[in-house]
Amino acid sequence: VFFSHQWTSFDEPDPSGRQLAAMQAALRDLETKYSRLEGNMYAWFDYFSIPQVNAESKMQAIGSLPVYVSLMHVFVIVTPTVVHKDTRDVCNLGTYMRRGWC
């Protein structure tokens, strides 16, 4: 399962926890849909699947995203309505769709 979402602060991906809750709900739904035992799925999340400290490694990992996406069986776009912690802008499906990558 490949999860794609917007970061809702400059320093952390999901300070409100709303996107994580949506991802957890999606995993539970997928476990039921595909008759998988809990914990018997692989999930790709950007925060721990892409290096966050080393800029060169981060760019290489971002460049490899098409490979990961092509290998996934399920692509989940996570777009609960969330207010960006720093800009105070509303983030949702509309703002996600205007992004340049992923």
Side-chain angles (χ1 to χ4, degrees):
V1 181
F2 187 103
F3 287 100
S4 181
H5 67 100
Q6 299 174 86
W7 279 44
T8 54
S9 97
F10 295 138
D11 300 322
E12 56 185 312
D14 182 28
S16 72
R18 294 192 66 207
Q19 294 182 94
L20 176 60
M23 291 178 204
Q24 291 169 325
L27 279 175
R28 286 190 297 274
D29 290 346
L30 291 167
E31 286 169 346
T32 300
K33 180 177 181 175
Y34 293 108
S35 301
R36 299 282 184 167
L37 297 175
E38 185 175 327
N40 194 18
M41 268 196 226
Y42 295 100
W44 189 99
F45 299 92
D46 67 348
Y47 189 69
F48 59 79
S49 299
I50 292 178
Q52 299 297 313
V53 177
N54 182 291
E56 185 177 340
S57 294
K58 184 177 187 175
M59 293 311 296
Q60 288 174 348
I62 289 170
S64 71
L65 285 176
V67 174
Y68 284 103
V69 171
S70 73
L71 296 172
M72 296 296 155
H73 296 283
V74 179
F75 186 96
V76 178
I77 297 171
V78 181
T79 59
T81 299
V82 178
V83 175
H84 193 281
K85 179 181 169 186
D86 302 304
T87 66
R88 308 308 299 162
D89 293 335
V90 172
C91 300
N92 55 27
L93 179 60
T95 58
Y96 174 91
M97 296 303 286
R98 289 192 293 271
R99 294 174 353 136
W101 61 286
C102 216

